[in-house]
Every structure is written in C-alpha cells, then in structure tokens.
Amino acid sequence: MSESAKPSSSEAKELSLIGKVELRIALASTDAELKTTLKTFLAPLLLKLASEHLNVRNKNAPRSVKLPVAALLQQFRQYPSTPLIRHFDLLYIQQGIKRLSITKQLKLLPIIVNGISSDASISASHGAVLFNLLLRILPNLSLPERGSLEDRGLRDQLGLARSEDITFLALWFGKLLLYTPKGPEHVGPTREACPGLSADEYDFLTLHDKKDTWSAGDNTGLNLTETKITIARFLASGVFTDQERFLPALFSSADSNSRISNIGVDLLKRASSNVSLEDPTLIQQLYHIYFGDASSGGPLPVRPALRIQILTLLSKSVIATTFTANVIQVFQEVLTTPEATDGSREFLISPSSREASKMRHSAFSFIMWTSRIGSFADLQVIAPPLVRRLREYVEGQGWPNPNDDARSAQYLSLRGMAYQSIGILAMHSPRELLLEPNLDLLHWLFKALSEDASGSEIAVSVEEAIGSVLNCFKTGLDWDVEEGLRSLLLHHMTLDDGAMSDHNKAPTQVRRSTRFVAVRFANRCLRYSDVVARWIDLIAIGGRPGERQEVIEEGQKGLSPYWYQILNPLGERASRGRGSAAAKPIVQFPVFSEMIEFIMPRITYSSRVEQQELLPNLSLNKQTLDIVAPAATFCRAILISQALVSVERDIKFDVDWDRKLDSAMSSDELARAATKAYLKPSSTEGDDEKTKAISTFLLVLYNGMVWNHGEGLPKCGEYLVDVCALCSNAMLSHLAPHVVSWTSSIWSNKHDTRTTAAHAFGILASHPDFPSEELQKLLVTLLNKARTWKSAVGAGINQVHGSILALGFLWGRLKLRAHLDTLPETDLHVFVALIFDILAESGQRTLQEAVVTAIDQLCLFSVLRPAQIPPEYTPNVLVDKMIEKARSGNDKAILALGHFAMSLKESKSEDSLHNQILNRLYALHDVRQPEVQFAVGEALTCAATGWDSKSLVAVLDVEESPPDLAKPGAELSDVLIQVLSHCKSTKPAMRKASAIWLLCIVQFNGHAPCVQRSLRQCQAAFKRFLADRDSLVQETASRGLALVYEKGGKQLKDDLVRDLMASFISTNANLGGSVAEDTELFEPGALPTAEGSVTTYKDIMSLASEVGDPSLVYRFMSLASHDAIWSSRAAFGRFGLDTLLSDSSIDGYLAQNPKLYPKLFRYRFDPNPNVQRAMNDIWVATVKDPASILEEHFDEIMDDLLRNILGKEWRVRQACCAAIADLVQGSHFEKYEKHLNEIWAKSFKVVDDIKLSVRTAAMALVRVLAGILIRNLEAGESAGKKASSMLQQVVPFLLSSSGLEASAREIQQYALTTLLSIIKKSSGKHLKPFIPVLVERILALLSSLEPEAVNYIHLNASKYDLTEEKIDEIRLTSVRGSPMMEAIERCLDQLDEPTTAALSPALEDAMKSALGLPSKVSSYFSHVPTL
C-alpha cells in the first residue's frame, strides 16, 4: 500500500469499527446484552472523539441529525414541576439548536422569549440556559429600520405579549451590559462577581461558572463585545418602550467600549424624553444601582463611569433630593480615601485618577443641585454632615495653604467646588451652621478668602460661598451673634495685605483683601442705625489710600439710606436678644450722639473729654484724615434728619435724598426752624449727651477747617457754617472764644476754605461772648492786611481776599446783633472806603469778587446805605459797577443790587434810585446765562419785599430777628404787573427771562396777598410757556404751574387742572401770545434753506415773497402750530406737573372727569420720547391703581384707540398700535373678545401704512395678537374655551380679503405664517371645524406663492441645460418639504368621519380649480386619505 493510502485505510478501519459497535448496540435485545456491550465498547467508542480524522469524529457526533428542538421546547414548558424532564429537554435543546439553520433558529425565537420570565422564576439555571440560547439566536435577527411600520410591529411578531417577559429581558440585557468577566471584586472566598452584579447574577450570566460561556475562540462560547452590541441594537428596536430600555441604555452609555457606548448614548437621549426622572421608583433604582448591596449578598457598586452617568441624571431630578440618606452617602463615599473605606467594599478608583476627579465633579454638581432644588426640611438634614465633611476635605488638603500634592488643576478645581458647596449648603441650615455665637464657619470662610494660597480662581469660589451665606444674616439676629458679626467685620476691615495673621497654630500671610465682602455684610446684615456698620462704610470710603473703587462704592451705598433700602427691601430689622423689638418698615439713621461717641475716638487723639476741656484736648488723627469729610457729611445728615423727625416731618429717602436735605436747610423755613429748635441745649434728661455730641461735632469741623495751617479738609468749613448758622448762641459759646486762631484759614490759599472760614468768622466773632478786646485786635489785623491790596501779589492777594470777606461778614452780623458799637465807627468808614477803592481801581478778579461779596453782606443787613457811601463815590457808581459785573455773568453782583435796594425807600418817580435799580435789573433780560436770570428774579423779590422774601431764609445765620426792612405790598404788585407784561413779549430772550422772574416771585413771595390775587394770571402765563421751543422755559413753566397749584385753594386747583387738561387734549395750539416779526417759530436749522434756515415769522414772510406764494405763510404757521402742540405735551410731565395731577386724581377735577384716561393712555406710547416720558410720569402720578383703572375704563380706552388707529397723523396711528398691543397683553381675553375682529382688521390695514415706523408698530401689534393666540393654543385644555373662541374669530379673518387675499404682499405672508402656526399648535378638537376650508385654501396657495422665477425657468428650461421633468421633480420635492404641506398633513391627521365628509367636496373643488403643478399634486395626495 502506498504512503498516501495508509491514512485512508486507518480512517476506514476506524469507521468500520464504529459501525460494528453501533450494530451491536442496536441488536442488543435485553438489558443484560446492552450492559455487556456498553461495558466493552462504550469507553473505546468515546475515545474516537479524539481521532485525527474528521469523518471519524463526526461519525461519533453526527451533525446531520436534526433534533426536534421546537417539540422539546414545548415539552419543557409543559412540565414546569418536573425538573428532570426539563433538564434533559434543555440538554437536547442546547445540542439541537446548533444544528438548525438560521431561519429555523429565528422561528424558535418567539417560543424562547414567550414565558422566559416564568421559566427563570422556577429555576434560575434553566432561565440562564434559555437566556444564553436567546443570545445565540439574536445576532441572526435582522432588525427593521427604526421607527418603521415593521419595527413597531416587531414586539407582536416575536410574541412578546406578557409584560413580565419584556421586563425580564430588559433586566437581564442590562445585567449583561454590566457584566465584566473575572472582575477583581469578590463577595466570598470562591464565588465571583463584578461591579453592578451580585454573585447570583454573575452565575446566571456565566451559566453557573461555565468557563467557555464567554470564550470567543471556542465554538461553544459567545463573543461578549459583539453580544453587547447586538442587544444594544435590539433594545433600540420597537420591541421595547423608552421606559423599558432606559436602564439598559444607561448602562451601555457608560461602557468602556466606544462601539457599545455610542449606541447607548444615542439610545439614552431618545429614551430620556419619555422617561420621568420624578418617578420615585426609578430614582430608588438608580440609587440602588449606584451603591449596590454587597453587604447582604446583593450587587456590587457599579463602575465609576456609570456612577458619573447616574449622578448626572440625579442632578436633573427634584425627587432625588428627597432621599436624604442617599444624598449624604453619595457625597461621603466620593470624599472617602481608600484607607478609610469599609472592608466589605473596595474603592474602585484611585483617588488621584482622572475618573475620581470626574466623579467628584459630578458629586459636587449633584450637591449643588440638591441645595438649590431640595426642600427646606430635607436640606436641614443634609447640610450639617456634608458641610463638616467638606471642611475636613479642604483642611485635609492643607489649609489655608494647600499641600504640594493638592496644587494640581484637578485638586484645585475640586477645592473651589468644595468651598462653593459649603456656602450653598450652609445657607439652608443657618441656625446650626452659621448663626451660633462664635460664628465659626463664617470666620473660616473669611480667613479662607484672605489667606488661601490656592490662587485667584479659588478666591472667587470662596467669595461665592460667602455671598451664599450672606442672606442668612439678614433675618433677625440674636444679640450675641450680631455682636460677633460686628467684631468679625471690623477685624477684616483693618487687615493689611501682606501682613501675618494671628492663626492659632501657625501665622499665615494675608494674601488678599476682604474689605469688599466685609462692607457688603455690614450693609446687608446690620441695621442702618448700627453705628459699627456705618463706621465700616466710612473706613471703606477713606480708610486707606489707593482703595479699590468697588470697596469705595459699596461704602457710599451703605451710607445712603436710599441705597440701603434697595439693598434691604424688607426694611429695618430689630435684632433679637436684649431689647428685641418688632421689625420697623422704614430706615432709621443712627442716633447722633452714639455715632459721634463711636467715631470720634477713631479719628481724633482724644476719645472722651469733659465739655469744659473739649476744645484744647481734641485734634485729628493723621491716619484717618480721609475719613473726616465723609464722616462729617454723614453726621450732618443724621443731625438734620433727627431734627426733622423730632417735629414729625416725613423724610422720603429717594435717589436725591441728600440734595433734598440741603435744599430744606437752604430754603425751607419750617425745616430750619425745626433744626434750630433741635440744636438748642436744654436740661431735659438725655439732652446732655446730645449737647456734648453737637459740641464735639463742631469741634471736629473746626479742626478740619483749620487743619494744616489753614489748608483745611474737604467739607469741614462748609458744614461748620451750616451748623453754626442753626445753632443758638448758647451752643456756640464754647467755640466762639477760639476764633482767634482762624486767621490761617481766612488767609488760606484755597478759595473755598477762605470763603467758609470768613463766613464762620462773621458768625462766631460777632457772638456776644466773644471778648471785645480780641475782636478789636482781629479787626486791626484784618484791616491792615486788606490795606495792602495795591502791593499784594500771589499769596498776599489771597490774604487780602480772605480779610475783606471776613470783615464783610463780621460787620453784617454785628449790625444784626446790634453790636456795631463794640467797634469804632471810623473803622467801618475806612473799610467801606477801602472796598469802593478796590471796586473802582483794582483789576484783580479775586479782589473784585471779595469786594462784591462784602458789599452784598453790608447791604443785606443795612450796614451800607446811600449815606454810608464815601463822598467821592455815588450810589449810581455802585449800581453801574454791579450792572457791569452782572452782564459778565456775576450773579453775586445782581443779588448785591437787590439787597442794596432793600434799604431804599419806595418812590413813584421813575428817576428814583430804587426804580432805576429795578429798570436796570429788567434790562438784564438779554444776558443768556440762566443763572443770571434766576439771580435777577431773586433780586427783584428782595428789592420789592425786603426780608419778607423767602429767598433770605438761609441768610439769617445768627440767633437774632431779621431787620425790619419789610416793604409795602404795592411795590411787589408793581413788580408783578411788570413781569406779567414782559411774559407776553414775543422776544425769545425776554420770554425766557420773564418766565424765570415770575417763577421766583411765586416761589419766594407766593404768600403775599397781591401774588395770591394774581395766581390765575400767573397760571395763564406759565401755561403759555409750556408750548415754548426752549426746554428751559418749558421746565420753568412746569415748575411755576406746580407752585401755583400748591399755593392756590381747591377751586383754583381744579380750574388749573381743567385748563391744563383742556390744552393737553386739544388739537389747537396757542403759540403763546401775539406773533411778531422776531417770534421764533422753529428751531434754527430745522427748516434749512440755501442761505440759512427758516426760524422766525419774518423769515416765513420773506420766503413767501421770494417764491411768490402767499399760501406758504399759512402752511408754515400750521406746521408751527402742530409742533407747538407736541412741544407742550412733551413739557407736560416735567418737574412737578405729575405731582399736581396726582393730587387732582384723588379728589379734584380728574377724579370727576375720567374721560381723560383714554387719551393719557394713548400718549404714553407717542413716538416722541419726550412726550412718552412725560406722559408716563403723569400716568404714574395720576393713576394710583392702574389695574383697576384699566379694568373700569377698558372699553373707553379701546374704543378711543380703534377710532384713532386709522387717523390722519402718523404719530397717532403708531401710538395706537403700541397702545393696543400693551393693552391686550395685560387684559383677559373676555375683555377684548368683542373688539378682536376690529383689532385684526385695522391692524392689518395699518401694516400697509405709508410710513415705515407705523408699519413696524403695526407688525409688532399683529405679532402680539398672534402670540396670544398661539400661547392659548399651546395651553391645551386649560384654555380650550378661550382658544376656540379666538379661532372662530381669527381664522375667518385671516382667510378673508383682509388676510390671505389682501393686496399687500406683507399682509399675505404674515396671514399665512399665522395660519400655519395655528394649525401646528391647535388640538384636533379646536381645528376640525376649519380643516376643510384651510386645506382648500392652502392647496391653492401652493401655486400662487410659488416664486415667479420657477415658472420662468420652467418655460426656458433649455436655456439652462435643464429638462422640464427635472424641474418638476425639484418642484415636487420642494412641495413635499414645505411648511404648507406639513400643515396639510397635520390637518389630515385630525380627520374623523364628519370632517372627512366635509373635506371631500372641498378637495374636489381644489383639484378642479388648481392651476399650478404644486397645487394639483398636493390636491391629489391630500385626496387619497379621504377615499
């Protein structure tokens, strides 16, 4: 035999032997024979399975034999209580299924999955085998396209009718996705497990530790990766709902293999939209998966990647925050190091790994979510343990300086998040964590901010944490907590950058300032009346040079009661603890005496001295000089406010509260009287402290004024004058003797210091207690210095200036106190001659200014009369010089003339000096500076009424009665008549001047009988000025009308409001008097011509003459009249008129005439911003309750708007559009339901307006109407009735000639857009009545709205190398994807039998009338579903 035949002979021999053994076994007729045969041949037969010949091995295992697997499966299910049968059935099923073709295997799939959950519940091992068989068959299943009809029917195709089977499959598919072979985790000494699975589950998936179950290289094993991919794709099919596939999708999304995770991520995104994260059962499952349950034989915790995914989901669930124990456990585990973990659970990741960092980031995000969303009760449980653990975590990294190994980017990021989490959590459990007497956590955070060396990003996180806890201190604080907070904030306000802190363990460096945070806490957590808080603000403003601007601004806000109210909208709080009181709704200043007592030791060298030793022992601290000025400003405000409060005078703390306080002190007679009374010392209990505080305050101001040899500190001299002017002689008696040291300030090189020092010198040196000998010495010193005016240069001129001022103020106050006799009369003559010489000869502006002020002071108190003027000069010289200076803008010279006229006797003669002065004052009308005209007005009131003029209220600065220089009423009457006559002038300069003069007369002499009798004339004059082109004149008129209203009786007030409102709503304008050639009708440049512009009436006449068209005059006058209407309306709301109308709306004319509201409402939306702003101010002032007014007068307002929306004036049309849009947005549908058709119709008409701005406003209105409709449609059933009613009115309108059939393209487009939105958002119930007509009309529009270019290209296809078929194909593609086709499909989806019956005729008509290809094709496709 050849070599090649030997294997064949060997193979044939083995096959022959096997055949003989099979024959013997088959021929055995008894058990004994079979036993003997098997005993002899079974073992050798099995050895042939290892034969080298394939045919021999296959002879032993014949694969061609097909077992009845389907029958075995049925038998397996028929005997659930007979384990032996089921066992052998499964053995043969396992063998037989491999021999079946793919088609037959797939036919078994429904049999396997149907009832698999019951099989597994009877025997876990049997369920594992069946599940394994399922995994073997699934790769052969061809899945249909996702979302297709076949995909939706796949569940039924597989026979998965039982929900238990679906749940079982989803569960074990998820378990398989978690499965990792031979993981490092062990529950016991022998049984294996892996993250996310228990030992039993691990056994289930490995067929009870069958080694080749997942051995991909073995024919009997499965490829784990491919199997996971297969089941991930199977999960995406229509077999499972989103709820069923959610957890397996979550598991696969966190797989380390990107092929699996990509499928899982996509699957999770799709499933998440239909899965509620507010399901408690789901959230409990997620927590269970996250933590595992290894201690009781349950699954191990899942891997970090999946934990991160779970935390991401939990961070989107509100109900997840209610599992407080789980929330705490999440965070504690994340911060646990490997050495600290429980022995039953090994740490799955290295604490320094990237996954650990990601997991901690996710955990911090979850904690932040919990702290923001969680309920107060839950957070109170969660916060304390987590905050303590977080502090341990931060301190474990090194605190405040981090260790070297904690400076990596990952650790620093986590450190920042830890700080933020501490702040967020602490604010939810303040009583336990923050509001304890030691303020331990707040101290810790402040120290971290100032000393943590981790970098600026960490500092931002700490600052956020501190900001989070800030509001916890805004509630009522216990006394000890408040005291601790003051101490903490003061400490950090005095910390220096770079200094070493007093740390208990080891001193650390202060790396950054905490002053801004400290000031914020003081402003928001301590009462406004708290002296420590206000001292902190003062430190912020001037505590150190080069301070950051934000710190200074925060300090300024803290000192302002207006800003304090904004920062603390709930108002003042009373602290708890000692002396606790109820919360007060208003801001209260600190007590003046307490404030002075607290801050004086900190800005002076002497903390507290006896009153009689006060002056010599107090001096300013050089370290706190920058604090003196803001401290003086604030203490002065406290003093004035407390004085006003003492007489129950209300103080409104608005944005310009400080200006109003200054104004009250300068012009309010009652406020000054109240302050004077408050500053008087008395023997009442408690006043001793107040008196001492006022004396100390005066001393500080004095020291500030004379500081640095008279250089002075800002504001000190000014406030010293203000306070001294209101103090009694008794209060000033201790300060007056020390005026001897003021010469340095009087001779200072600073102009303001010299002026205030001289004024204060006049007040105090004239004091009765000031020694006459010292006064004589000072007089000589100052007079000698003044005599050097000819030779003085540089600083010498400043000294002469100060001396002249001081002497002028001194002699005026001596005359007022009747103490002129204490000084030689010759000295006064010398001084008067001196100042007249300087006035006549000196060219120094500084000396001239001093002389004018001195003359003013002497004239004011009647020291300088015509008889006292030196012989070489005459009164006319004085008048001429003052007028000369007045024309250069010197308002002091004007006032000096008015004060000089006070002492002159009235005379009817035109040549009298008094009348000459008045006429010279009138002649100043052509000076353009408004300040000059106000000075002229004040001078006129003084000249006419003397000390009866209220302009002199603030001039009386000593405790004496004013001089008896009151004038008779006839003189004021003459001045008033003259000014009223000037008000009718056509000259712009005279109109402006006379308006200001009249305002001054009403303001300063409105109490006079002659002015009271002429209030109606004043009102008429001011009303004419409202239409003036000059904004200053308009402002003056507005103020004047408010003053007239204030000073008149009720009848006059009603008449005034009636006249104003008549002019307000009138369409006829009064140009304000007669028209002359120089009457200015237009602003210069408003109507330009080739040679300039048309401005005056003379220009109009000239232009009309040149072109030969007299009608131009009337056209221009009409234009000017129209412009005057809106100029007056623009001025209407300015500077006081809103207050006037506010009073009238309560019980006056407006309350009885509500017809004005519609016009007022419309004017609020005028295109002119000035008119709009003015009308808004009036609306706010007059309409106290806008909601009720609009509710009551809705129909009248809407009727007015609809009546005017198509008016002649474009600004009215535009205003109506904006007004209607605002009105309907704030009203219920029922209010405007009856107007809706008219609103739509008229708004669509205005959309086609000739003016662009009107079209824009109309489109905005239409968008508002459409938006309201769409929002109601989106609201669903909750707004069903309203939406249905809207549709019944809107849809027919949009389909009418005013909508889709309108001639304007813009209207057509918007009507179509609105209809498509309606179809998209409407429910079927609301839409069905309109479906037939909508479909028919939209089908027709498909062709009519097709671009004309398409038809052109279709007709000229050959020119563009195209065919008509290709173009038609593109057109059809465009139709299928168009929004209109989508709308048609949406309508067809809502069809029912009645609607279909109504639609069919409409479609037939559409098909017959369709002209274009799009309409024809769409009609056909729309008709198919109705057949």
Side-chain angles (χ1 to χ4, degrees), residues 853-1034:
T853 303
I855 290 174
D856 178 48
Q857 291 297 312
L858 296 177
C859 293
L860 184 62
F861 298 103
S862 300
V863 179
L864 181 62
R865 293 172 177 263
Q868 279 75 35
I869 295 178
E872 59 270 27
Y873 300 101
T874 64
N876 287 329
V877 171
L878 175 62
V879 174
D880 290 341
K881 284 291 184 180
M882 294 298 107
I883 291 295
E884 179 185 342
K885 294 182 181 299
R887 289 203 167 274
S888 64
N890 191 327
D891 54 335
K892 292 182 179 178
I894 298 171
L895 292 175
L897 269 182
H899 296 159
F900 181 59
M902 288 167 57
S903 59
L904 300 177
K905 293 182 179 181
E906 180 184 3
S907 174
K908 296 295 182 180
S909 172
E910 286 293 329
D911 297 331
S912 68
L913 182 59
H914 186 275
N915 286 335
Q916 286 182 26
I917 292 175
L918 291 179
N919 291 331
R920 299 291 291 273
L921 289 174
Y922 294 143
L924 293 174
H925 71 272
D926 54 351
V927 180
R928 292 188 175 275
Q929 293 96 315
E931 297 82 3
V932 170
Q933 302 308 326
F934 279 104
V936 171
E938 187 175 339
L940 288 174
T941 62
C942 292
T945 60
W947 280 90
D948 195 40
S949 173
K950 299 301 180 183
S951 64
L952 300 178
V953 166
V955 174
L956 193 64
D957 50 15
V958 295
E959 191 182 13
E960 301 293 342
S961 299
D964 186 14
L965 295 176
K967 296 296 187 78
E971 190 167 343
L972 176 61
S973 179
D974 293 341
V975 171
L976 180 58
I977 292 171
Q978 186 70 27
V979 171
L980 286 172
S981 67
H982 288 321
C983 289
K984 299 176 182 178
S985 172
T986 59
K987 295 181 179 180
M990 179 58 81
R991 286 173 59 81
K992 179 189 291 188
S994 59
I996 295 174
W997 301 343
L998 184 60
L999 175 67
C1000 292
I1001 292 173
V1002 175
Q1003 180 177 359
F1004 299 131
N1005 293 104
H1007 58 284
C1010 62
V1011 177
Q1012 286 285 312
R1013 291 191 298 269
S1014 303
L1015 284 179
R1016 288 303 300 269
Q1017 294 92 314
C1018 296
Q1019 170 204 332
F1022 283 131
K1023 193 179 72 171
R1024 286 195 300 270
F1025 286 133
L1026 281 179
D1028 199 276
R1029 309 201 58 79
D1030 194 306
S1031 61
L1032 177 62
V1033 178
Q1034 290 182 357

Side-chain angles (χ1 to χ4, degrees), residues 319-492:
I319 203 168
T321 63
T322 62
F323 294 80
T324 55
N326 296 118
V327 174
I328 295 171
Q329 187 179 353
V330 166
F331 210 65
Q332 288 181 338
E333 283 194 1
V334 166
L335 297 180
T336 302
T337 59
E339 296 77 13
T341 55
D342 189 353
S344 63
R345 179 179 304 182
E346 298 182 12
F347 199 68
L348 301 177
I349 50 177
S350 169
S352 60
S353 69
R354 188 173 181 180
E355 271 191 325
S357 177
K358 285 184 177 180
M359 201 157 104
R360 284 175 174 156
H361 270 282
S362 298
F364 278 118
S365 299
F366 176 50
I367 291 302
M368 290 182 180
W369 165 262
T370 302
S371 60
R372 291 188 176 99
I373 302 300
S375 67
F376 180 74
D378 292 333
L379 290 172
Q380 280 191 315
V381 176
I382 294 170
L386 291 190
V387 169
R388 286 190 287 270
R389 187 68 189 87
L390 283 166
R391 281 189 66 174
E392 293 171 2
Y393 170 74
V394 173
E395 292 173 354
Q397 293 182 341
W399 185 85
N401 295 324
N403 303 326
D404 293 338
D405 56 354
R407 291 181 180 270
S408 66
Q410 293 179 0
Y411 272 105
L412 290 179
S413 176
L414 292 173
R415 188 181 183 94
M417 295 185 77
Y419 278 125
Q420 293 177 30
S421 300
I422 287 173
I424 294 172
L425 289 168
M427 73 177 182
H428 290 98
S429 185
R431 281 293 165 192
E432 186 170 348
L433 294 171
L434 292 169
L435 304 179
E436 38 88 23
N438 295 328
L439 298 178
D440 180 61
L441 181 59
L442 191 61
H443 273 281
W444 187 82
L445 288 172
F446 265 87
K447 187 173 181 63
L449 180 61
S450 65
E451 301 174 25
D452 195 304
S454 304
S456 58
E457 292 183 359
I458 304 303
V460 171
S461 298
V462 180
E463 197 160 348
E464 285 184 19
I466 295 176
S468 298
V469 304
L470 184 146
N471 287 334
C472 299
F473 293 87
K474 296 180 76 169
T475 56
L477 301 179
D478 292 338
W479 178 86
D480 50 355
V481 173
E482 200 171 61
E483 193 64 28
L485 182 61
R486 292 192 192 99
S487 175
L488 170 65
L489 299 181
L490 273 176
H491 169 71
H492 281 273

Side-chain angles (χ1 to χ4, degrees), residues 1358-1396:
S1358 58
K1359 294 181 180 180
Y1360 300 97
D1361 294 330
L1362 296 171
T1363 63
E1364 294 183 358
E1365 292 76 12
K1366 183 66 175 177
I1367 295 174
D1368 289 340
E1369 183 181 344
I1370 295 173
R1371 294 169 75 184
L1372 293 178
T1373 303
S1374 175
V1375 168
R1376 292 190 191 101
S1378 70
M1380 287 190 285
M1381 197 63 198
E1382 290 180 8
I1384 292 173
E1385 293 175 355
R1386 162 77 174 154
C1387 290
L1388 297 179
D1389 289 340
Q1390 307 298 324
L1391 290 177
D1392 55 13
E1393 290 186 9
T1395 311
T1396 303

Side-chain angles (χ1 to χ4, degrees), residues 8 73 111 118 165 231 248 302 338 561 572 602 660 717 808 845 861 928-929 948 1022 1061 1144 1153 1218 1227 1312 1339 1374:
S8 295
L73 279 170
I111 304 175
S118 301
D165 295 333
I231 64 173
V302 293
E572 285 266 297
R602 291 163 174 79
K660 289 182 178 179
R845 292 181 59 185
F861 298 103
R928 292 188 175 275
Q929 293 96 315
D948 195 40
F1022 283 131
M1061 296 309 295
S1144 180
N1153 295 270
S1227 305
L1312 177 60
L1339 285 173
S1374 175

